Amino acid sequence: MPTHNSDRFVTAYNRIDQLMKDVIGTQEHMAFFRLIDYAKKKNAVIRKYEADLREYGDLRNAIIHNRTTMEYAIAEPHEDVVQKMEEIETALRTPVTVGSMFRTNVTMFQQTDSLIYALKVIKDKKYNQFPVYDGTQFKGLITPVGITMWMASMAESKDFSRSRTTLGEILAHENDRENHQFVAKQESVYEALEIFKQAVTRGRRLEALLITEDGKPNNKLIGIVTPMSLMKIK
């Protein structure tokens, strides 16, 4: 017997219903729309797909409550709708994390490193932001803005030397030392996207999210998320 789109749709709907219960920590019966209201407060995937879920909730009611027989649904969803519902289920069940998408071998600099050394690394690896440490203690994130501000401050100086200037000196010229935020590797990519957007609404521009195992600053850096890198997320 062929599988109808309505069957696939209702199956995905029921699984999403359960996944939202898992998010809010309940097994009590609750209306689908109420589940959305509670789950979106805790889960970025729900917030991303909220409008779709509400629309599909109405469609599910039409399918279930208007069945004429057990074999026939009066509303048969389009294939694109079914695929979208299954996409949402997958995103909830196995969310893409920043750790899985953006893990990389991060080049870390010491504040005693020279600017000329950092510029060579930037040229080779095409970096725009790079983290600076004092031993194992994170000191800050240097960006092109910080380098430009340092150069502007040295415009009239006769003692201008990229080889003698340290990254610690550059770091002092970052206008906004809070140009970054640490996140744990299990954060979803949608949560990362929201962090950037929320910073903008507060009048603050984040240059990068720095990934560690648990989101703590002085643990090993295992990846970097930039606004540009998030453009690949649908």
Side-chain angles (χ1 to χ4, degrees):
M1 180 181 295
T3 302
H4 297 291
N5 278 355
S6 56
D7 295 327
R8 288 171 54 197
F9 179 88
V10 171
T11 297
Y13 174 97
N14 291 337
R15 289 173 176 168
I16 291 171
D17 185 280
Q18 181 58 53
L19 287 166
M20 288 196 293
K21 288 179 179 177
D22 294 341
V23 167
I24 64 177
T26 184
Q27 293 305 315
E28 295 180 6
H29 173 72
M30 193 177 295
F32 191 74
F33 296 106
R34 192 177 178 197
L35 279 173
I36 295 172
D37 290 336
Y38 283 109
K40 73 177 183 180
K41 297 176 182 178
K42 296 185 176 183
N43 190 286
V45 175
I46 299 296
R47 292 192 290 273
K48 172 179 172 56
Y49 291 108
E50 179 182 359
D52 292 318
L53 287 169
R54 292 187 183 280
E55 181 178 349
Y56 296 157
D58 289 331
L59 177 56
R60 179 264 182 188
N61 290 338
I63 293 172
I64 294 299
H65 298 309
N66 294 305
R67 276 186 184 271
T68 55
T69 71
M70 290 300 294
E71 292 79 23
Y72 177 72
I74 195 169
E76 192 69 19
H78 191 277
E79 178 67 20
D80 289 346
V81 171
V82 177
Q83 289 180 359
K84 187 70 171 184
M85 198 64 164
E86 292 172 342
E87 173 190 318
I88 297 172
E89 179 200 341
T90 299
L92 272 172
R93 187 179 300 279
T94 55
V96 179
T97 65
V98 292
S100 62
M101 180 170 280
F102 299 108
R103 180 184 286 269
T104 187
N105 291 322
V106 182
T107 300
M108 293 175 287
F109 297 87
Q110 292 293 313
Q111 61 180 359
T112 53
D113 288 336
S114 68
L115 174 60
I116 192 66
Y117 167 71
L119 291 175
K120 288 178 180 178
V121 175
I122 291 170
K123 179 181 178 182
D124 292 340
K125 299 193 175 183
K126 313 302 181 186
Y127 288 161
N128 285 321
Q129 305 91 1
F130 46 100
V132 179
Y133 287 77
D134 179 9
T136 60
Q137 184 179 11
F138 178 79
K139 302 302 291 184
L141 186 73
I142 289 181
T143 68
V145 172
I147 296 175
T148 301
M149 293 302 295
W150 171 79
M151 292 179 66
S153 72
M154 300 296 291
E156 298 180 2
S157 174
K158 297 180 180 180
D159 188 27
F160 182 89
S161 173
R162 290 176 297 175
S163 60
R164 291 199 304 271
T165 301
T166 66
L167 296 185
E169 295 174 64
I170 302 296
L171 202 57
H173 288 272
E174 286 287 350
N175 280 338
D176 183 2
R177 296 295 294 275
E178 296 183 359
N179 56 7
H180 60 275
Q181 184 170 321
F182 281 87
V183 294
K185 67 176 183 178
Q186 71 267 18
E187 292 283 6
S188 78
V189 292
Y190 299 121
E191 183 68 35
L193 188 59
E194 286 186 351
I195 291 172
F196 279 112
K197 290 180 178 178
Q198 289 166 3
V200 171
T201 62
R202 297 194 301 269
R204 171 186 170 199
R205 173 180 168 80
L206 289 177
E207 299 290 345
L209 301 182
L210 306 178
I211 308 168
T212 62
E213 290 287 331
D214 55 6
K216 294 183 179 179
N218 292 322
N219 288 340
K220 182 180 179 182
L221 197 59
I222 60 176
I224 295 180
V225 187
T226 66
M228 186 66 68
S229 65
L230 282 173
M231 291 181 66
K232 68 179 71 173
I233 298 174
K234 296 180 180 180

